[in-house]
Amino acid sequence: MPRQVFLYDKPDRFVAGTVGQPGQRTFFLQASAAGRTTSVALEKTQVEALAERIDELLDEVVRRTGGAAPVPAVAPSELADNAPLQAPVEEEFRVGTMALAWDGAEERMILEAQALVEIEADDEEDLEAAEEMLLQDEENGPPLLRVRLTGAQARTFAKRALDVVAAGRPPCPLCSLPLDPEGHVCPRQNGYRRSAAG
């Protein structure tokens, strides 16, 4: 079966969002254009890492071009998108690997999110070879979401993604772990107290 590629060259909308209550949220990337929408699921840590890496890459593009690239220093407020994900949210696949690149000629960020694939191998060397072959297989590889964004769109995506990650459960003031509505077993309150002397 040929590889399924969900291509959004100039998306009308590209956002990170969630479905569910804090503590039980499922995170999604969602791209929309010309009446079609693609949603892919991923982990909270992947969303956070992606947003941070986008900001780092955009900062590097600005640095290398001496500020000539059309990349704003911060997300433009007029592009802010705080609306929920477009419903119904139908998961196309769960993301395994992601890649980012800057196309200097087109002045666009290219983001790729590839489906998670389980590979069986006898040893570490075979596993690495199988993974590399899978990643390079343009015709028969796993499903892929490819989005091309302007610098402003990418900066706006990153800001919203970090806001979505931070909007989860509030942290415990003692241990910084997320507080659960059902209760919180805090490792800092494990039965002993530190003395005033130290």
Side-chain angles (χ1 to χ4, degrees):
M1 182 170 141
R3 181 178 210 173
Q4 191 172 19
V5 177
F6 301 93
L7 177 62
Y8 288 85
D9 195 21
K10 294 179 182 171
D12 297 330
R13 185 177 195 227
F14 181 61
V15 296
T18 62
V19 172
Q21 296 300 314
Q24 297 158 2
R25 298 186 297 170
T26 301
F27 287 77
F28 289 93
L29 300 179
Q30 190 177 74
S32 302
R36 68 185 175 105
T37 299
T38 302
S39 303
V40 296
L42 68 171
E43 298 298 323
K44 176 181 180 179
T45 55
Q46 288 175 296
V47 174
E48 185 173 29
L50 176 62
E52 290 170 354
R53 185 66 188 108
I54 285 173
D55 275 336
E56 289 169 7
L57 180 57
L58 292 174
D59 291 345
E60 181 67 12
V61 167
V62 169
R63 188 186 69 74
R64 287 189 180 196
T65 63
V71 176
V74 296
S77 58
E78 65 273 11
L79 294 182
D81 180 349
N82 297 316
L85 295 174
Q86 186 173 326
V89 179
E90 296 175 359
E91 179 183 322
E92 294 292 342
F93 59 83
R94 179 158 287 279
V95 175
T97 59
M98 294 182 288
L100 289 175
W102 179 260
D103 179 344
E106 296 286 325
E107 297 183 323
R108 293 279 191 271
M109 175 168 283
I110 303 166
L111 180 149
E112 291 185 349
Q114 183 171 273
L116 180 65
V117 176
E118 292 185 25
I119 301 173
E120 291 184 27
D122 295 332
D123 60 31
E124 188 69 30
E125 198 172 291
D126 288 346
L127 180 61
E128 288 177 13
E131 286 176 344
E132 185 61 31
M133 190 171 74
L134 190 63
L135 290 172
Q136 301 303 323
D137 190 348
E138 281 296 319
E139 299 221 355
N140 301 306
L144 176 77
L145 171 64
R146 183 178 291 141
V147 182
R148 296 173 56 84
L149 304 168
T150 65
Q153 285 175 316
R155 197 67 93 177
T156 302
F157 168 86
K159 181 182 182 325
R160 175 183 165 130
L162 290 173
D163 290 348
V164 166
V165 168
R169 298 173 287 171
C172 171
L174 298 174
C175 68
S176 298
L177 291 174
L179 291 171
D180 289 321
E182 296 84 35
H184 173 66
V185 178
C186 179
R188 298 285 304 268
Q189 296 291 322
N190 60 0
Y192 69 93
R193 296 186 185 275
R194 293 174 50 183
S195 68

